[in-house]
Amino acid sequence: MPDELLTVAEVMTRLKVGRTKVYDLIRSRRLASLKVDGCRRIPAAALGDFIASEMERAA
């Protein structure tokens, strides 16, 4: 089953943060992403991994 690819806007909505913050997370390699014909996409699993790692850091 292929992983769902999310747009930056979808990640913004799920994390309740702005566009700049999402791109900062991508730039700092805290959130994995890929480009599809110039459009940035974030695998749903990568978003899940990011949230899990942030929860571990907060504990």
Side-chain angles (χ1 to χ4, degrees), residues 1-6 14 32-34 36 41-49:
M1 178 175 182
D3 195 16
E4 180 184 10
L5 294 175
L6 305 171
R14 291 183 186 199
S33 70
L34 56 107
V36 178
R41 296 292 180 258
I42 299 91
L47 181 59
D49 292 345

Side-chain angles (χ1 to χ4, degrees), residues 1-58:
M1 178 175 182
D3 195 16
E4 180 184 10
L5 294 175
L6 305 171
T7 64
V8 170
E10 290 170 327
V11 173
M12 289 168 51
T13 300
R14 291 183 186 199
L15 292 180
K16 310 268 191 288
V17 298
R19 179 177 301 273
T20 301
K21 182 61 178 176
V22 174
Y23 280 107
D24 284 346
L25 293 170
I26 292 168
R27 230 178 273 108
S28 66
R29 298 181 187 264
R30 290 172 60 199
L31 181 61
S33 70
L34 56 107
K35 274 192 163 183
V36 178
D37 289 334
C39 298
R40 187 62 63 183
R41 296 292 180 258
I42 299 91
L47 181 59
D49 292 345
F50 168 74
I51 293 169
S53 71
E54 290 300 303
M55 292 297 293
E56 286 178 18
R57 288 177 58 192

